[in-house]
Amino acid sequence: MSISALFTIAVVLLMLIALMLELIEADVIVFGALAVLFISGIITPKEALAGFSNQGMLTVAILFIVAYAAQSAGFMQFFADRVMGNGKGGEARSLLRMMIPVASLSAFLNNTPIVAMFTPYLRDWSQRNGFAPSKFLIPLSYATIFGGVFTLIGTSTNLVVSGLYSQKYGGHLGMFELGLVGIPCGIAGMLYLYFAGRHLLPDNRVEGVSADEGREYLLEVEIADAASLIGKTVEAAGLRNLEQLYMVEIVRNNKRIAPVKPQEYLQTGDRLIFTGKVEGVAQLQKIGGLRPVHGHNLHQELLQNGEARLVEVVVSPSCPMLGKTIKEGNFRARYDAAVLAVHRHGERLRGKLGELVLRPGDTLLLLTGDDFIKRWNFSREFYLVSKISNLPRVNRKKSIITFCALVAMVALSAAGLMDILEAAVLATLVLLFTRCITTVEARRSIELNVLIVIASSFGISKALEKTGAAAWLADQIIGSVEQWGAVGVLAAICLITTILTEVITNNAAAAVIFPIAMASAHQLQVDPKPFVIAIAISASASFATPIGYQTNMMVYGPGGYRAKDFLKVGVPLNIIYMVVSILVIPLFWKF
């Protein structure tokens, strides 16, 4: 193996480790790996930049706009209200009733807004009908993953794989081609959840605690000037035996007082650190003389105007606040909302709220005004997961135009009259010229971090192929499973892709495995198409970890889950997906 191949493998391994450890944002890591390969001369400027003009990447960018228009049009809310019914059929039937339409919707729309919309709805519905929300939220995320491989546009990974295939061989995947294996995998997955998987999900009512009540938040407040609490002891101020809240420490003149004694006297400017449940946080807001450390002016203004409302949001991987503390990111000025508390995946948070560095998946409890939801409901920066009332009135005309544009886009592509990029551009033009979406909203809808990962992955894939690293890795795979022939290599590709996609981004996993799979097909002298399909299916099968796919992360906090819950339910589902894929793929795509 050449020095350039060894160097490329070393860069890719370091990239994978950094992605697994989440050292910094994924787009920075992947772009950094591309930059190293470019600067070292492994790939040329043209090869490094090829991904930024690839049809698959550009299609993903345009589809972000179409998906945003569909999300804001209102027909998805209309759809959600008619899905679940009254729950009289029981938990299992209600689960199936949710998964089938959600998977169908996910085949044509971005998974993220579907989960963002259904999460608060399902939490409210399940509690109203006597079910545990934790029995429905992981299946909600999984259902969108199922639907993502029903069509070419179901998820960005499909378009990435199609783009790589087009770049290498000049062909492309058809609109419904992946559905030949994706639909059987989805059906098998739903049957598994219906009969067995749901029993492996936690029931947070076992101890009389709902998912909402089971989540612990970290809260930081300060004592306002001239407050009636000044000079009182903690016990006399009524802060000792609060329901569902516990005072962890007092910060006074940058010194920490912990543990806090009942006889401790309160002083002006004291910062009080609490941990507890969301209901306790709401209760604390009613105590006079306390105000949130971040955004206390807003807090006072909203309370005086009677416009204050509590809203829960989950921090997305696209949020510009990632890697910053609430204070550094100037959250109050950016969003016109005050952070009251933070919850992180069942982890007991300690220290000052303002010193917490935000991560993807953190759940924030915000104090906002009435217009907050109108401005940030469809934001890519975080997802609203509290029950939203008084939604803006849906514009029926815009909903119809958006729906027709989406259907026409799919029909034109499926009929072969246009390729998917052309159809998506046409749909976007219709949406812009009919004012179903504004230019500002279109710009805001594009997730640049995702596009950078995709575009950079193409260059990294090219480096693996060009240096011979992919061929060497293919030799190792073929050597270990040669007794089982092409089917054995197909199984190995499925397994490796599935493992990778659980710990790094699915798009990066597809791009890394693609050249290795193509080199394997070349050495076996078989058609590469079965391996292309296997990569697309396996790269989307992110079931076993909350970090594997962003919709898993979105339901992580709201469902009150632990990482082990995803492992218990997801690993058998990964195995089912692999078995079905290995059995079905050779039936439609011959080696």
Side-chain angles (χ1 to χ4, degrees), residues 122-137:
L122 277 175
R123 284 172 60 193
D124 182 71
W125 177 90
S126 56
Q127 290 173 347
R128 190 171 63 246
N129 290 281
F131 300 120
S134 54
K135 291 289 187 180
F136 289 88
L137 293 182

Side-chain angles (χ1 to χ4, degrees), residues 307-374:
E307 296 177 352
R309 69 160 67 197
L310 291 175
V311 176
E312 278 183 297
V313 301
V314 174
V315 178
S316 86
S318 303
C319 183
M321 293 283 295
L322 292 180
K324 300 178 182 178
T325 65
I326 295 167
K327 184 177 181 181
E328 288 171 345
N330 202 8
F331 195 99
R332 159 69 179 86
R334 182 187 291 269
Y335 300 111
D336 199 25
V339 179
L340 298 183
V342 178
H343 163 77
R344 180 174 293 159
H345 314 325
E347 177 184 335
R348 183 183 284 273
L349 300 176
R350 300 186 182 278
K352 296 170 66 176
L353 189 66
E355 295 173 355
L356 282 178
V357 177
L358 293 179
R359 301 178 188 170
D362 283 352
T363 305
L364 311 182
L365 188 68
L366 306 179
L367 183 76
T368 74
D370 283 338
D371 64 340
F372 178 85
I373 290 173
K374 293 179 183 178

